[in-house]
Coordinates of all heavy atoms in Angstrom, one line a residue:
M586 N 0.8 -1.2 0.0 CA 0.0 0.0 0.0 C 0.9 1.2 0.0 O 1.9 1.3 0.7 CB -0.9 0.0 1.2 CG -1.9 1.1 1.2 SD -3.0 1.1 2.6 CE -2.1 2.0 3.8
T587 N 0.5 2.2 -0.7 CA 1.2 3.5 -0.8 C 0.9 4.3 0.5 O -0.1 4.1 1.2 CB 0.9 4.3 -2.0 OG1 -0.5 4.6 -2.0 CG2 1.2 3.5 -3.3
K588 N 1.8 5.3 0.7 CA 1.6 6.2 1.8 C 0.3 7.0 1.6 O 0.0 7.5 0.5 CB 2.8 7.2 1.9 CG 2.7 8.1 3.1 CD 4.0 8.9 3.2 CE 4.0 10.1 4.0 NZ 3.5 10.0 5.3
L589 N -0.5 7.2 2.6 CA -1.8 7.9 2.5 C -1.6 9.4 2.5 O -0.7 9.9 3.1 CB -2.7 7.5 3.7 CG -3.1 6.0 3.8 CD1 -3.9 5.8 5.1 CD2 -3.9 5.6 2.6
P590 N -2.4 10.1 1.7 CA -2.3 11.5 1.6 C -2.7 12.2 2.9 O -3.5 11.6 3.6 CB -3.2 11.9 0.5 CG -4.2 10.8 0.4 CD -3.5 9.6 0.9
T591 N -2.0 13.3 3.3 CA -2.3 14.0 4.5 C -2.6 15.4 4.2 O -2.2 16.0 3.2 CB -1.2 13.9 5.5 OG1 0.0 14.5 5.0 CG2 -0.9 12.5 5.9
I592 N -3.3 16.0 5.2 CA -3.4 17.5 5.2 C -2.9 18.0 6.5 O -2.8 17.2 7.5 CB -4.9 17.9 5.0 CG1 -5.8 17.4 6.1 CG2 -5.4 17.5 3.6 CD1 -7.2 18.0 6.1
S593 N -2.6 19.2 6.6 CA -2.1 19.8 7.9 C -3.2 20.4 8.7 O -4.0 21.3 8.2 CB -1.0 20.8 7.6 OG -0.6 21.3 8.9
I594 N -3.4 19.9 9.9 CA -4.4 20.5 10.8 C -3.7 20.9 12.1 O -3.1 20.0 12.8 CB -5.6 19.5 11.1 CG1 -6.4 19.2 9.8 CG2 -6.5 20.1 12.2 CD1 -7.5 18.3 10.0
H595 N -3.7 22.2 12.4 CA -3.0 22.7 13.6 C -1.5 22.2 13.6 O -1.0 21.8 14.7 CB -3.7 22.2 14.9 CG -5.1 22.7 15.0 ND1 -5.5 24.0 15.1 CD2 -6.3 22.0 14.9 CE1 -6.8 24.1 15.1 NE2 -7.3 22.8 15.0
G596 N -0.9 22.2 12.4 CA 0.5 21.9 12.3 C 0.8 20.4 12.3 O 2.0 20.0 12.4
K597 N -0.2 19.5 12.3 CA 0.0 18.1 12.4 C -0.6 17.4 11.1 O -1.6 17.8 10.6 CB -0.6 17.4 13.6 CG 0.1 17.9 14.9 CD -0.5 17.2 16.1 CE 0.2 17.7 17.4 NZ -0.2 17.0 18.5
D598 N 0.1 16.4 10.6 CA -0.4 15.7 9.5 C -1.6 14.9 9.9 O -1.6 14.2 10.9 CB 0.7 14.8 8.9 CG 1.8 15.5 8.2 OD1 1.6 16.7 7.8 OD2 2.9 14.9 8.0
Y599 N -2.6 14.9 9.0 CA -3.9 14.2 9.3 C -4.4 13.5 8.0 O -4.4 14.1 6.9 CB -4.9 15.2 9.7 CG -6.3 14.7 10.0 CD1 -6.6 14.0 11.2 CD2 -7.3 14.8 9.0 CE1 -7.9 13.5 11.4 CE2 -8.6 14.3 9.3 CZ -8.8 13.6 10.5 OH -10.1 13.1 10.7
V600 N -4.7 12.2 8.1 CA -5.3 11.5 7.0 C -6.8 11.6 7.1 O -7.4 11.2 8.1 CB -4.8 10.0 7.1 CG1 -5.4 9.2 5.9 CG2 -3.3 9.9 7.0
L601 N -7.4 12.1 6.0 CA -8.8 12.2 6.0 C -9.5 10.8 6.2 O -9.0 9.8 5.7 CB -9.3 12.9 4.7 CG -8.9 14.3 4.5 CD1 -9.2 14.8 3.1 CD2 -9.5 15.2 5.6
V602 N -10.7 10.8 6.8 CA -11.4 9.6 7.0 C -11.7 8.9 5.7 O -11.6 7.7 5.6 CB -12.7 9.8 7.8 CG1 -13.6 8.5 8.0 CG2 -12.4 10.4 9.2
K603 N -12.1 9.6 4.7 CA -12.4 9.0 3.4 C -11.2 8.2 2.9 O -11.3 7.1 2.3 CB -12.8 10.0 2.3 CG -11.7 11.0 1.9 CD -12.2 11.9 0.8 CE -11.2 12.8 0.2 NZ -10.2 12.1 -0.6
D604 N -10.0 8.7 3.1 CA -8.8 8.0 2.6 C -8.5 6.8 3.5 O -8.0 5.8 3.0 CB -7.6 9.0 2.6 CG -7.8 10.1 1.6 OD1 -8.2 9.7 0.5 OD2 -7.4 11.2 1.9
R605 N -8.8 6.9 4.8 CA -8.6 5.8 5.7 C -9.6 4.6 5.3 O -9.2 3.5 5.3 CB -8.9 6.2 7.2 CG -7.8 7.0 7.7 CD -8.1 7.3 9.2 NE -8.0 8.7 9.4 CZ -8.4 9.2 10.5 NH1 -9.0 8.5 11.5 NH2 -8.3 10.5 10.7
V606 N -10.8 5.0 5.0 CA -11.8 4.0 4.6 C -11.4 3.3 3.2 O -11.5 2.1 3.1 CB -13.2 4.6 4.4 CG1 -14.2 3.6 3.8 CG2 -13.7 5.0 5.8
L607 N -10.9 4.1 2.3 CA -10.4 3.5 1.0 C -9.2 2.6 1.3 O -9.2 1.5 0.7 CB -10.0 4.6 0.1 CG -11.1 5.5 -0.5 CD1 -10.5 6.7 -1.3 CD2 -12.0 4.6 -1.4
A608 N -8.3 2.9 2.2 CA -7.2 2.1 2.5 C -7.6 0.8 3.2 O -7.1 -0.3 2.9 CB -6.2 2.8 3.4
F609 N -8.6 0.9 4.1 CA -9.2 -0.2 4.8 C -9.7 -1.2 3.8 O -9.5 -2.4 3.9 CB -10.2 0.2 5.8 CG -10.9 -0.9 6.5 CD1 -10.3 -1.6 7.6 CD2 -12.2 -1.3 6.1 CE1 -11.0 -2.6 8.2 CE2 -12.8 -2.4 6.7 CZ -12.2 -3.0 7.7
N610 N -10.5 -0.7 2.9 CA -11.1 -1.6 1.9 C -10.1 -2.2 1.0 O -10.3 -3.4 0.6 CB -12.1 -0.8 1.0 CG -13.4 -0.5 1.7 OD1 -13.9 -1.3 2.5 ND2 -14.0 0.7 1.4
E611 N -9.0 -1.6 0.7 CA -7.9 -2.2 -0.1 C -7.2 -3.3 0.7 O -6.9 -4.3 0.2 CB -6.9 -1.1 -0.5 CG -5.7 -1.5 -1.3 CD -4.7 -0.4 -1.6 OE1 -5.2 0.7 -1.9 OE2 -3.5 -0.7 -1.5
L612 N -6.9 -3.0 2.0 CA -6.2 -4.0 2.8 C -7.1 -5.1 3.3 O -6.6 -6.2 3.6 CB -5.6 -3.2 4.0 CG -4.4 -2.3 3.7 CD1 -4.1 -1.5 4.9 CD2 -3.2 -3.0 3.2
H613 N -8.4 -4.8 3.5 CA -9.3 -5.8 4.1 C -10.5 -6.0 3.2 O -11.6 -5.5 3.6 CB -9.7 -5.4 5.5 CG -8.5 -5.2 6.4 ND1 -7.8 -6.3 6.9 CD2 -7.9 -4.1 6.8 CE1 -6.8 -5.8 7.7 NE2 -6.8 -4.5 7.6
P614 N -10.4 -6.6 2.0 CA -11.6 -6.7 1.1 C -12.7 -7.5 1.7 O -13.9 -7.3 1.3 CB -11.0 -7.3 -0.1 CG -9.7 -8.0 0.3 CD -9.2 -7.2 1.4
E615 N -12.5 -8.3 2.7 CA -13.5 -9.0 3.4 C -14.0 -8.3 4.6 O -14.8 -8.9 5.4 CB -13.1 -10.5 3.7 CG -12.6 -11.2 2.5 CD -13.7 -11.5 1.5 OE1 -14.9 -11.7 1.9 OE2 -13.4 -11.4 0.3
G616 N -13.6 -7.1 4.8 CA -13.9 -6.4 6.1 C -15.2 -5.7 6.0 O -15.9 -5.7 5.0
A617 N -15.6 -5.1 7.1 CA -16.9 -4.3 7.2 C -16.7 -3.2 8.2 O -16.0 -3.3 9.2 CB -18.0 -5.3 7.6
V618 N -17.4 -2.1 7.8 CA -17.6 -1.0 8.7 C -19.1 -0.8 9.0 O -19.9 -0.6 8.0 CB -17.0 0.3 8.1 CG1 -17.3 1.5 9.0 CG2 -15.5 0.2 7.8
I619 N -19.5 -1.0 10.2 CA -20.9 -0.9 10.5 C -21.2 0.2 11.6 O -20.5 0.2 12.6 CB -21.4 -2.3 11.1 CG1 -21.2 -3.3 10.0 CG2 -22.9 -2.2 11.5 CD1 -21.4 -4.7 10.5
T620 N -22.1 1.1 11.3 CA -22.3 2.2 12.2 C -23.7 2.0 12.8 O -24.6 1.4 12.2 CB -22.3 3.6 11.6 OG1 -23.3 3.7 10.5 CG2 -20.9 3.9 11.1
E621 N -23.8 2.4 14.1 CA -25.1 2.3 14.8 C -25.4 3.6 15.5 O -24.5 4.2 16.1 CB -24.9 1.2 15.9 CG -26.1 0.9 16.7 CD -25.8 -0.2 17.7 OE1 -24.7 -0.8 17.7 OE2 -26.7 -0.5 18.5
R622 N -26.6 4.1 15.3 CA -27.1 5.4 15.9 C -27.8 5.1 17.2 O -28.7 4.4 17.3 CB -28.0 6.1 14.9 CG -28.5 7.4 15.4 CD -29.3 8.0 14.2 NE -30.0 9.2 14.7 CZ -30.5 10.1 14.0 NH1 -30.3 10.1 12.7 NH2 -31.2 11.1 14.5
L623 N -27.2 5.7 18.3 CA -27.8 5.6 19.6 C -28.3 7.0 20.0 O -27.5 7.9 19.9 CB -26.7 5.1 20.6 CG -26.0 3.8 20.1 CD1 -24.8 3.6 21.0 CD2 -26.9 2.6 20.1
E624 N -29.5 7.1 20.6 CA -30.0 8.4 20.9 C -30.3 8.6 22.4 O -30.8 7.6 23.0 CB -31.2 8.7 20.0 CG -30.9 8.7 18.6 CD -32.1 9.3 17.7 OE1 -32.7 10.3 18.2 OE2 -32.3 8.8 16.6
S625 N -30.2 9.8 22.9 CA -30.7 10.2 24.2 C -31.4 11.5 24.0 O -31.4 12.0 22.9 CB -29.5 10.3 25.2 OG -28.8 11.5 24.9
A626 N -32.0 12.0 25.0 CA -32.7 13.3 24.9 C -31.8 14.4 24.6 O -32.1 15.3 23.9 CB -33.4 13.6 26.3
E627 N -30.5 14.4 25.0 CA -29.5 15.5 24.8 C -28.7 15.3 23.5 O -28.1 16.3 23.0 CB -28.6 15.6 26.0 CG -29.3 15.9 27.3 CD -29.8 14.7 28.0 OE1 -29.2 13.6 27.8 OE2 -30.8 14.8 28.8
S628 N -28.5 14.0 23.1 CA -27.5 13.9 22.0 C -27.8 12.6 21.2 O -28.6 11.8 21.5 CB -26.1 13.7 22.7 OG -26.0 12.5 23.4
I629 N -27.0 12.6 20.1 CA -27.0 11.4 19.2 C -25.6 10.9 19.2 O -24.7 11.6 19.0 CB -27.5 11.8 17.8 CG1 -28.9 12.3 17.8 CG2 -27.3 10.6 16.8 CD1 -29.3 13.0 16.5
I630 N -25.5 9.6 19.5 CA -24.2 9.0 19.6 C -24.0 7.9 18.5 O -25.0 7.2 18.3 CB -23.9 8.3 21.0 CG1 -24.0 9.4 22.1 CG2 -22.6 7.5 21.0 CD1 -24.1 8.8 23.5
F631 N -22.9 7.9 17.8 CA -22.7 6.9 16.8 C -21.6 6.0 17.3 O -20.6 6.4 17.9 CB -22.2 7.5 15.5 CG -23.4 8.0 14.6 CD1 -23.8 9.3 14.7 CD2 -24.0 7.1 13.8 CE1 -24.8 9.8 14.0 CE2 -25.1 7.5 13.1 CZ -25.5 8.9 13.1
K632 N -21.8 4.7 17.1 CA -20.9 3.7 17.4 C -20.5 3.1 16.1 O -21.4 2.7 15.3 CB -21.5 2.6 18.3 CG -20.5 1.4 18.5 CD -21.2 0.3 19.4 CE -20.3 -0.9 19.5 NZ -21.0 -2.0 20.3
A633 N -19.2 3.0 15.8 CA -18.7 2.4 14.6 C -18.0 1.1 15.0 O -17.1 1.1 15.9 CB -17.8 3.3 13.8
S634 N -18.3 0.0 14.4 CA -17.7 -1.3 14.6 C -16.9 -1.6 13.3 O -17.5 -1.6 12.2 CB -18.7 -2.4 14.9 OG -19.4 -2.1 16.1
I635 N -15.6 -1.9 13.4 CA -14.8 -2.1 12.3 C -14.3 -3.6 12.4 O -13.7 -4.0 13.4 CB -13.5 -1.2 12.3 CG1 -13.9 0.3 12.5 CG2 -12.7 -1.4 11.0 CD1 -14.8 0.9 11.5
Y636 N -14.6 -4.4 11.4 CA -14.2 -5.8 11.3 C -13.3 -6.0 10.1 O -13.7 -5.9 9.0 CB -15.5 -6.6 11.1 CG -16.5 -6.5 12.2 CD1 -17.5 -5.6 12.0 CD2 -16.4 -7.3 13.3 CE1 -18.5 -5.5 13.0 CE2 -17.3 -7.2 14.3 CZ -18.4 -6.3 14.2 OH -19.3 -6.2 15.2
P637 N -12.0 -6.3 10.4 CA -11.1 -6.6 9.3 C -11.5 -7.8 8.5 O -11.3 -7.8 7.3 CB -9.7 -6.8 10.0 CG -9.8 -6.1 11.3 CD -11.3 -6.2 11.7
D638 N -12.2 -8.7 9.1 CA -12.7 -9.9 8.4 C -14.2 -10.0 9.0 O -14.4 -10.4 10.1 CB -11.9 -11.1 8.8 CG -12.5 -12.4 8.1 OD1 -13.5 -12.4 7.5 OD2 -11.8 -13.5 8.3
A639 N -15.1 -9.7 8.1 CA -16.5 -9.7 8.6 C -17.0 -11.0 9.1 O -18.0 -11.1 9.8 CB -17.4 -9.2 7.4
K640 N -16.4 -12.1 8.6 CA -16.8 -13.4 9.1 C -16.3 -13.7 10.5 O -16.8 -14.7 11.2 CB -16.2 -14.5 8.1 CG -16.9 -14.4 6.8 CD -16.2 -15.4 5.8 CE -16.8 -15.1 4.4 NZ -15.9 -15.6 3.4
N641 N -15.3 -13.0 11.0 CA -14.7 -13.2 12.3 C -15.2 -12.0 13.2 O -14.5 -11.0 13.3 CB -13.2 -13.2 12.3 CG -12.6 -13.5 13.6 OD1 -13.2 -13.6 14.6 ND2 -11.2 -13.4 13.6
K642 N -16.3 -12.2 13.8 CA -16.9 -11.1 14.7 C -16.2 -10.9 16.0 O -16.4 -10.0 16.7 CB -18.4 -11.4 14.9 CG -19.2 -11.4 13.7 CD -19.3 -10.1 13.0 CE -20.3 -10.1 11.9 NZ -20.3 -8.9 11.1
E643 N -15.2 -11.8 16.3 CA -14.5 -11.7 17.6 C -13.4 -10.6 17.4 O -13.0 -10.1 18.4 CB -13.9 -13.0 18.0 CG -14.9 -14.0 18.4 CD -14.3 -15.4 18.8 OE1 -13.1 -15.4 19.1 OE2 -15.0 -16.4 18.8
R644 N -12.9 -10.4 16.2 CA -11.9 -9.3 16.0 C -12.6 -8.1 15.6 O -13.0 -7.9 14.4 CB -10.8 -9.8 15.0 CG -9.7 -8.8 14.9 CD -8.5 -9.4 14.3 NE -7.4 -8.5 14.4 CZ -6.8 -7.9 13.4 NH1 -7.3 -8.1 12.2 NH2 -5.8 -7.0 13.5
C645 N -12.8 -7.1 16.5 CA -13.5 -5.9 16.2 C -12.9 -4.7 16.9 O -12.4 -4.8 18.0 CB -15.0 -6.1 16.7 SG -16.0 -4.7 16.5
F646 N -12.9 -3.6 16.2 CA -12.4 -2.3 16.7 C -13.6 -1.4 16.7 O -14.4 -1.4 15.8 CB -11.3 -1.8 15.9 CG -10.2 -2.7 15.7 CD1 -10.1 -3.6 14.7 CD2 -9.1 -2.7 16.6 CE1 -9.1 -4.5 14.5 CE2 -8.1 -3.6 16.5 CZ -8.0 -4.5 15.4
T647 N -13.8 -0.6 17.8 CA -14.9 0.3 17.9 C -14.5 1.7 18.1 O -13.4 2.0 18.6 CB -15.9 -0.1 19.0 OG1 -15.1 0.0 20.3 CG2 -16.5 -1.5 18.8
G648 N -15.3 2.6 17.6 CA -15.2 4.1 17.8 C -16.5 4.7 18.1 O -17.5 4.2 17.7
H649 N -16.5 5.7 18.9 CA -17.7 6.4 19.3 C -17.6 7.9 19.0 O -16.5 8.5 19.1 CB -18.1 6.2 20.7 CG -18.4 4.8 21.1 ND1 -17.4 3.9 21.4 CD2 -19.6 4.2 21.2 CE1 -18.0 2.7 21.6 NE2 -19.3 2.9 21.6
S650 N -18.7 8.6 18.7 CA -18.7 10.0 18.6 C -20.1 10.5 18.9 O -21.1 9.8 18.7 CB -18.3 10.5 17.2 OG -18.2 11.9 17.1
E651 N -20.2 11.8 19.4 CA -21.4 12.3 19.9 C -21.7 13.7 19.2 O -20.9 14.5 19.0 CB -21.3 12.5 21.4 CG -22.6 13.1 22.0 CD -22.4 13.2 23.5 OE1 -21.3 13.5 24.0 OE2 -23.4 13.0 24.2
A652 N -23.0 13.9 18.9 CA -23.5 15.1 18.4 C -24.5 15.6 19.4 O -25.5 14.9 19.7 CB -24.2 15.0 17.0
I653 N -24.3 16.8 19.9 CA -25.2 17.4 20.9 C -26.4 18.1 20.2 O -26.2 18.8 19.2 CB -24.5 18.4 21.8 CG1 -23.3 17.8 22.5 CG2 -25.5 19.0 22.8 CD1 -23.5 16.7 23.4
R654 N -27.6 17.7 20.5 CA -28.8 18.3 19.8 C -28.7 19.8 19.9 O -28.5 20.4 21.0 CB -30.1 17.8 20.5 CG -30.2 16.3 20.2 CD -31.6 15.8 20.8 NE -31.7 14.4 20.8 CZ -32.1 13.7 19.7 NH1 -32.4 14.3 18.6 NH2 -32.1 12.3 19.8
G655 N -29.0 20.5 18.8 CA -29.1 21.9 18.8 C -27.8 22.6 18.6 O -27.7 23.9 18.4
Q656 N -26.6 21.9 18.6 CA -25.3 22.5 18.3 C -24.9 22.3 16.9 O -25.3 21.3 16.2 CB -24.3 21.9 19.2 CG -24.4 22.4 20.6 CD -23.2 21.9 21.5 OE1 -22.3 21.1 21.0 NE2 -23.1 22.3 22.7
S657 N -24.2 23.3 16.3 CA -23.7 23.1 14.9 C -22.5 22.2 14.9 O -21.9 22.0 16.0 CB -23.4 24.5 14.3 OG -22.1 24.9 14.7
S658 N -22.2 21.7 13.7 CA -21.1 20.8 13.6 C -19.7 21.6 13.7 O -18.7 21.0 13.9 CB -21.1 20.1 12.3 OG -20.9 20.9 11.2
G659 N -19.8 22.9 13.4 CA -18.5 23.6 13.3 C -17.9 23.6 12.0 O -16.9 24.2 11.7
I660 N -18.5 22.8 11.1 CA -18.0 22.6 9.7 C -19.1 23.1 8.8 O -20.2 22.5 8.7 CB -17.6 21.2 9.4 CG1 -16.5 20.7 10.4 CG2 -17.1 21.0 7.9 CD1 -16.2 19.2 10.3
A661 N -18.8 24.2 8.0 CA -19.8 24.8 7.1 C -20.5 23.8 6.2 O -19.8 23.0 5.5 CB -19.2 25.9 6.3
G662 N -21.8 23.7 6.2 CA -22.5 22.9 5.2 C -22.7 21.5 5.7 O -23.2 20.7 4.9
Q663 N -22.2 21.1 6.8 CA -22.3 19.7 7.3 C -23.1 19.6 8.5 O -23.0 20.4 9.4 CB -21.0 19.0 7.5 CG -20.2 18.8 6.2 CD -18.9 18.0 6.4 OE1 -18.3 18.1 7.5 NE2 -18.6 17.1 5.5
S664 N -24.0 18.6 8.6 CA -24.9 18.4 9.7 C -24.0 17.8 10.9 O -23.1 17.0 10.6 CB -26.0 17.5 9.4 OG -25.7 16.2 9.4
P665 N -24.4 18.1 12.1 CA -23.6 17.5 13.2 C -23.7 16.0 13.3 O -22.8 15.3 13.7 CB -24.3 18.1 14.5 CG -25.2 19.1 14.0 CD -25.4 19.1 12.5
I666 N -24.8 15.5 12.8 CA -25.1 14.0 12.7 C -24.1 13.4 11.8 O -23.4 12.4 12.1 CB -26.5 13.7 12.4 CG1 -27.4 14.2 13.5 CG2 -26.7 12.2 12.2 CD1 -28.9 14.1 13.2
E667 N -23.9 14.0 10.6 CA -23.0 13.5 9.6 C -21.5 13.5 10.1 O -20.8 12.5 10.0 CB -23.1 14.3 8.3 CG -22.1 13.9 7.2 CD -22.1 14.8 6.0 OE1 -22.8 15.9 6.0 OE2 -21.5 14.4 5.0
V668 N -21.2 14.6 10.8 CA -19.8 14.7 11.3 C -19.6 13.7 12.4 O -18.5 13.1 12.5 CB -19.6 16.2 11.8 CG1 -18.3 16.3 12.6 CG2 -19.6 17.2 10.7
A669 N -20.6 13.5 13.3 CA -20.5 12.5 14.4 C -20.3 11.1 13.8 O -19.4 10.3 14.3 CB -21.7 12.5 15.3
E670 N -21.0 10.7 12.8 CA -20.9 9.4 12.2 C -19.5 9.2 11.6 O -18.8 8.2 11.8 CB -22.0 9.1 11.2 CG -21.9 7.7 10.7 CD -23.1 7.3 9.8 OE1 -23.7 8.2 9.1 OE2 -23.4 6.1 9.7
T671 N -19.1 10.2 10.8 CA -17.7 10.2 10.2 C -16.6 10.1 11.2 O -15.7 9.3 11.1 CB -17.5 11.4 9.3 OG1 -18.6 11.4 8.3 CG2 -16.2 11.4 8.6
S672 N -16.8 10.8 12.3 CA -15.8 10.8 13.4 C -15.7 9.4 14.1 O -14.6 9.0 14.4 CB -16.1 11.9 14.5 OG -16.0 13.1 13.9
A673 N -16.8 8.8 14.3 CA -16.8 7.5 14.9 C -16.1 6.5 14.0 O -15.3 5.7 14.5 CB -18.3 7.0 15.1
V674 N -16.3 6.5 12.7 CA -15.6 5.7 11.8 C -14.1 5.9 11.7 O -13.3 5.0 11.7 CB -16.2 5.8 10.3 CG1 -15.4 5.0 9.3 CG2 -17.6 5.3 10.3
G675 N -13.8 7.2 11.8 CA -12.4 7.6 11.7 C -11.6 7.1 12.9 O -10.4 6.7 12.8

């Protein structure tokens, strides 16, 4: 696999989530990324489950992210829910 492209954020190299997902698919063609939306009165939480081999459910990595109801995402043109799901996957 080639080196992933980066952008500079606050002076540090950062690989965009879209590029991480593309690399994951290249390295793990039998893998899966599954997101789950969990809600409370105050927020929406996303849980991302990453399976390098979708047939082996015992090997799993997880990530979580939260969007507070009524707050903006801080990214122009993007909903806080979209940002939270992408962050959980990243």
Side-chain angles (χ1 to χ4, degrees):
M586 186 177 86
T587 60
K588 183 171 166 52
L589 298 176
T591 61
I592 62 170
S593 180
I594 297 180
H595 303 293
K597 294 186 179 182
D598 289 340
Y599 177 81
V600 177
L601 294 172
V602 174
K603 70 174 184 73
D604 294 320
R605 289 186 231 167
V606 170
L607 289 171
F609 175 81
N610 284 326
E611 181 183 318
L612 292 170
H613 304 285
E615 302 298 320
V618 177
I619 300 169
T620 60
E621 182 179 355
R622 182 175 166 158
L623 311 166
E624 298 193 38
S625 72
E627 301 82 26
S628 65
I629 298 168
I630 298 168
F631 277 95
K632 175 184 177 183
S634 299
I635 313 298
Y636 300 93
D638 179 357
K640 295 175 188 158
N641 180 5
K642 298 294 186 186
E643 291 181 18
R644 186 160 188 249
C645 178
F646 304 89
T647 58
H649 296 82
S650 187
E651 179 179 36
I653 306 299
R654 294 184 190 276
Q656 287 187 353
S657 82
S658 70
I660 301 172
Q663 290 188 323
S664 79
I666 294 170
E667 178 185 11
V668 171
E670 185 174 27
T671 301
S672 295
V674 171

